[in-house]
Amino acid sequence: MVSVNRQVRVLPALLLLLAGCAPAPAQPQAAPAPTELKIGAVLPLTGPFSASGGYFQQAYQLATDEVNGAGGLDVGGKKVQISLKILDDGSDATKSRSLVEQLATQEKVNALLGGYDTVLVQAQQGVPDQYKIPMVEGGGAASAIFTRGNKYLFGTLATIDDLGNITMDFLKYWIDQGKLPKPLRIALAWENTDHGKDYQAAVNKAAKDDPGHFQVVLDQSFDLNGSDFTPLLTQIKAANADAFLSDAHLPDFITMHRQYTQLGLKHKFVTYGARGPDQKGREALSSAADYLVAGLWWTPALTDQGSRKFTETWKTKFNVTPDWFQALAYDTARVLYAGITKAGSTDGDKIRDALAGLQFEGALVPGNKISFDQTGKPKTSYLMTQNLPNNEVAVVWPSSIEGAKPAMVPMPGTT
Amino acid sequence: MYEPSAIAGLVITAVLTAGLYALMSFGLALVYGVMKIINLAHAGTMMLSAFVVLSLNRALHLDPILGAVISAALFFGLGMLLYRVAVRRVVNAPPIASLLLLFGVWLCAQNAAYLIWGSEDQSIVTVYTYSTIDLGDVKIAVTRLIPFGVSLLALAGLSWFLRATDLGKAIRAVSQNAMAARLVGIRSERVATIAFGLGSALSAFAGGLLTLLFSFNPDFGGTFQLKSFSIIVLGGLESFTGVALGAVVLATAESFSILIPGWRGSLINLLAFSLLVAALVLLPGGIASLLERRGKSE
């Protein structure tokens, strides 16, 4: 009979012997190529943002269908079909975040496309880093999105501070051309949101840096979805400014500019930030919206080959003219897919690294390139448009852009 | 510095805005006066009415003013129906029941509007949208004069209706003491049904006229409802004259706020809520109680 003590002494020796006889560990093999790529997005398909959410859904689907129609996405040399899962957050920020988490934990998506607008993107932005699943978003434009230390979040929408910057560059050019007074007296009105604060900061910085060109004579905020702008417009009238710069969402733009026109206000230059050529705005304001200047991420008035092709494709497929929402969402999906191809893998970390160093060519945005800085903020810019009579829109800045026309500055009817 | 014409412009703005605010608030005050409930569906009624006016404008090219009249008639019926089907069941329950019920009605109205009209901002342009009357350097928009004039007419009409007609007297009797009104033979249930219908019609009329001034979507009305609530508390909840004066106080405070050094326009809603708190703490009976006390002392 073998004692227990002897068994204990013999056991390590046996284990060593077995280890010696065991075959050498196999060299790590390449992970099997994925057969399907799962992409998730949470969009506001119902509720206040449902119109824009619907545009994003159509554009994400179009970009995905194009890739799948061409045989799939190239991932590590193999064509892989993309499965796009889109959930509806009802325009609710809390629900938006929890649904993105659901995509990460239950649907096990490989990457994420972002929501719309800034508030919902801000609600979603914690999830990518938490689960190390990269997200590319084209619906949030406040610079605050990129100050939170995210490593897995990338944006394609140039931020609102850049909108302020390009507007001031544009004004400086026309001041130097002698078309606007020097220094230009500016009345500034901004909505009390991250958007508006970005715009205000950019305009004030430009004025502080270049007092020879700019003088801010009124700097006033207003509430989002305001009911009456007459007191604000009375201040603007009293400020006796040459230019009126405002950053507003569509309903406030319509109400404010109606009241502006009714009060008989006139400035040599008027802008409402990214508002102006919107069809709803032009319908609501009719000729009062003529000659307004806007800073945009994209417009169907662009004449470059990519923009023309996109506009035609969209019109054929959806029977409407696309706006920047559709174009940026389409670019956003294409950027993510280009990042995955560059990574050659469906691994979150590898896709993240690939996106961080991506130089995406053939984008619709001005300059036709999208890349990111270390915060994930896009290195893209705006273009400026001016409304013309008969519902026409002209691209007026930068002058280097294909098809750009000289702006009508000062606005006709002002001296 | 503000020129005299700018100050004159502020005065005119305050008066016109007061008319607009009063018009929005009469319906809320009437329902509270008779039933002692806060009609949280008021904003939903204004919003739905705006869309009804839009649909009439698009389909039949109907002017928004005429559209608002038709919409008011429609919501008079719908209001009575809502009262008979749901509201009357909670009138005598604790206040939270009617608040929750009418809040639910508002949410249903919002979601129905999203389904029917979508979420895009809508607006109506008329031939007089940009018409103004010039008083020297001051321009007055016709679209602001219309709600003001209508508000004065509504105030006069409501005062006459409540004082000179049997139904009006019955409404006043029920609002003062429902039990006593029943004891003298007033069919208080019928009176309450008509009053709720009338309150809804007033809200719908206001909502329809607001399309002259504002763009709107299914979220429309929330800010106006909060202001209306502040106004009726300030005015004394049940008095139409008090409501009109409450509207003047709020509109004047908002218009002249820009004269406060360092004022931020984004604080404008704070004024309404500050007045609400001040009225609740310092003047629980509102301006109407001040008028009443003054009347008694004379």
Side-chain angles (χ1 to χ4, degrees):
Chain A
M1 199 173 167
V2 181
S3 74
V4 174
N5 279 347
R6 191 174 166 197
Q7 276 184 0
V8 171
R9 282 197 301 271
V10 168
L11 191 60
L14 275 171
L15 285 173
L16 280 170
L17 185 66
L18 283 171
C21 296
Q27 290 298 313
Q29 291 179 343
T35 54
E36 185 190 46
L37 181 67
K38 283 187 176 179
I39 304 296
V42 176
L43 289 168
L45 303 179
T46 55
F49 299 127
S50 60
S52 312
Y55 301 147
F56 271 66
Q57 181 188 30
Q58 289 172 328
Y60 286 170
Q61 196 63 57
L62 176 66
T64 307
D65 290 347
E66 283 180 357
V67 171
N68 285 340
L73 188 69
D74 182 345
V75 183
K78 189 186 172 192
K79 292 278 188 180
V80 178
Q81 288 289 303
I82 300 169
S83 160
L84 177 63
K85 177 109 182 173
I86 296 177
L87 302 177
D88 174 22
D89 60 23
S91 305
D92 179 84
T94 311
K95 195 174 169 191
S96 195
R97 184 193 163 99
S98 63
L99 284 175
V100 178
E101 283 193 299
Q102 184 183 315
L103 286 172
T105 57
Q106 292 174 30
E107 300 292 336
K108 310 270 184 211
V109 295
N110 302 106
L112 292 158
L113 289 164
Y116 177 89
D117 72 342
T118 293
V119 173
L120 295 178
V121 170
Q122 284 177 325
Q124 296 179 355
Q125 78 175 111
V127 182
D129 281 58
Q130 192 177 351
Y131 295 96
K132 301 198 183 311
I133 298 173
M135 172 188 275
V136 183
E137 64 87 10
S143 64
I145 292 171
F146 303 102
T147 59
R148 298 180 180 176
N150 287 84
K151 296 284 179 205
Y152 288 77
L153 181 74
F154 301 88
T156 56
L157 211 54
T159 50
I160 299 296
D161 47 347
D162 284 334
L163 172 60
N165 294 336
I166 193 171
T167 303
M168 299 307 275
D169 288 345
F170 174 83
L171 287 173
K172 190 174 178 184
Y173 172 81
W174 287 106
I175 293 167
D176 290 340
Q177 296 297 309
K179 297 284 187 180
L180 291 172
K182 185 179 179 182
L184 186 73
R185 291 165 56 84
I186 294 170
L188 172 64
W190 45 279
E191 65 174 36
N192 191 23
T193 60
D194 281 345
H195 257 246
K197 287 171 187 168
D198 274 359
Y199 193 75
Q200 181 216 17
V203 172
N204 278 326
K205 183 177 182 303
K208 192 179 169 192
D209 292 348
D210 191 354
H213 277 88
F214 307 115
Q215 184 187 359
V216 177
V217 292
L218 178 76
D219 176 7
Q220 187 57 279
S221 62
F222 59 88
D223 242 2
L224 191 63
N225 297 325
S227 54
D228 185 15
F229 296 107
T230 318
L232 170 68
L233 292 167
T234 303
Q235 275 189 304
I236 287 163
K237 191 175 182 180
N240 198 23
D242 304 306
F244 173 42
L245 274 60
S246 179
D247 174 62
H249 275 77
L250 186 61
D252 289 337
F253 157 55
I254 292 171
T255 304
M256 193 185 289
H257 196 62
R258 259 192 188 179
Q259 294 180 354
Y260 176 97
T261 309
Q262 288 168 344
L263 287 170
L265 267 67
K266 282 188 175 173
H267 291 89
K268 293 180 174 68
F269 176 84
V270 179
T271 182
Y272 288 87
R275 303 298 159 202
D278 321 67
Q279 203 49 44
K280 285 286 174 191
R282 297 208 75 167
E283 282 170 17
L285 295 163
S286 56
S287 62
D290 289 348
Y291 306 110
L292 294 179
V293 175
L296 295 174
W297 297 273
W298 185 83
T299 168
L302 281 168
T303 56
D304 65 277
Q305 195 186 348
S307 293
R308 275 190 284 125
K309 187 182 168 200
F310 174 73
T311 303
E312 284 311 311
T313 303
W314 196 274
K315 277 184 181 171
T316 306
K317 194 165 174 64
F318 300 108
N319 208 24
V320 290
T321 304
D323 210 331
W324 70 261
F325 302 95
Q326 294 94 327
L328 264 293
Y330 181 71
D331 268 356
T332 299
R334 292 193 304 150
V335 162
L336 175 62
Y337 298 155
I340 295 170
T341 295
K342 187 181 174 211
S345 165
T346 55
D347 177 73
D349 288 324
K350 288 181 179 166
I351 297 172
R352 183 247 163 253
D353 292 344
L355 283 168
L358 185 70
Q359 301 279 338
F360 180 72
E361 305 270 350
L364 298 175
V365 296
N368 305 118
K369 288 177 192 165
I370 296 177
S371 60
F372 309 99
D373 70 12
Q374 68 237 30
T375 67
K377 187 175 160 181
K379 293 180 188 170
T380 56
S381 189
Y382 288 82
L383 57 92
M384 300 201 73
T385 62
Q386 186 169 38
N387 289 353
L388 298 177
N390 303 318
N391 211 19
E392 287 184 18
V393 175
V395 177
V396 294
W397 190 263
S399 51
S400 58
I401 213 162
E402 189 181 319
K405 295 174 183 166
M408 299 184 78
V409 177
M411 285 172 72
T414 60
T415 51
Chain B
M1 286 304 292
Y2 293 93
E3 293 173 3
S5 64
I7 301 296
L10 286 177
V11 172
I12 291 170
T13 297
V15 172
L16 296 180
T17 306
L20 182 73
Y21 285 175
L23 184 64
M24 290 172 350
S25 309
F26 288 146
L28 205 58
L30 180 66
V31 170
Y32 184 84
V34 175
M35 278 153 270
K36 306 291 179 283
I37 58 174
I38 301 292
N39 182 10
L40 284 183
H42 176 73
T45 306
M46 287 201 293
M47 175 273 296
L48 283 179
S49 176
F51 277 106
V52 167
V53 169
L54 175 80
S55 299
L56 289 171
N57 179 264
R58 296 259 163 93
L60 307 170
H61 302 290
L62 218 56
D63 186 88
I65 301 170
L66 191 54
V69 173
I70 293 171
S71 180
L74 175 70
F75 278 91
F76 178 68
L78 288 174
M80 288 202 297
L81 185 67
L82 177 64
Y83 182 83
R84 297 298 300 170
V85 171
V87 178
R88 72 188 173 100
R89 298 172 202 279
V90 297
V91 165
N92 296 316
I96 189 70
S98 60
L99 284 174
L100 288 175
L101 172 73
L102 291 163
F103 183 62
V105 170
W106 180 17
L107 291 181
C108 289
Q110 266 188 336
N111 284 287
Y114 277 123
L115 283 174
I116 298 168
W117 290 285
S119 65
E120 290 196 329
D121 296 299
Q122 307 288 351
S123 53
I124 300 174
V125 182
T126 65
V127 289
Y128 50 86
T129 295
Y130 293 105
S131 300
T132 55
I133 294 171
D134 296 355
L135 295 176
D137 284 346
V138 180
K139 287 178 183 290
I140 305 172
V142 169
T143 51
R144 291 181 74 86
L145 274 175
I146 291 168
F148 176 73
V150 167
S151 181
L152 287 183
L153 284 176
L155 179 61
L158 276 169
S159 298
W160 173 81
F161 170 73
L162 292 172
R163 287 178 196 285
T165 66
D166 287 345
L167 183 58
K169 287 173 186 168
I171 288 174
R172 281 169 58 209
V174 172
S175 73
Q176 284 166 13
N177 191 325
M179 178 66 81
R182 264 200 299 277
L183 287 173
V184 297
I186 292 172
R187 294 163 66 188
S188 59
E189 192 71 1
R190 181 171 166 268
V191 167
T193 305
I194 293 170
F196 198 87
L198 199 55
S200 301
L202 285 166
S203 305
F205 192 49
L209 289 182
L210 289 177
T211 61
L212 292 172
L213 293 163
F214 304 109
S215 63
F216 51 93
N217 58 37
D219 276 348
F220 183 69
T223 311
F224 293 122
Q225 174 157 281
L226 287 170
K227 287 193 178 179
S228 295
F229 184 62
S230 301
I231 286 166
I232 68 164
V233 171
L234 193 61
L237 289 165
E238 297 168 32
S239 156
F240 289 117
T241 310
V243 166
L245 290 172
V248 169
V249 171
L250 178 60
T252 305
E254 286 185 350
S255 292
F256 283 88
S257 60
I258 60 168
L259 301 180
I260 301 169
W263 173 255
R264 279 281 170 218
S266 50
L267 297 174
I268 203 148
N269 284 334
L270 187 67
L271 279 175
F273 306 131
S274 302
L275 283 172
L276 173 67
V277 172
L280 286 169
V281 174
L282 303 172
L283 200 62
I287 294 170
S289 68
L290 277 183
L291 294 175
E292 207 172 300
R293 266 185 262 163
R294 196 174 164 190
K296 280 177 187 168
S297 66
E298 283 169 1

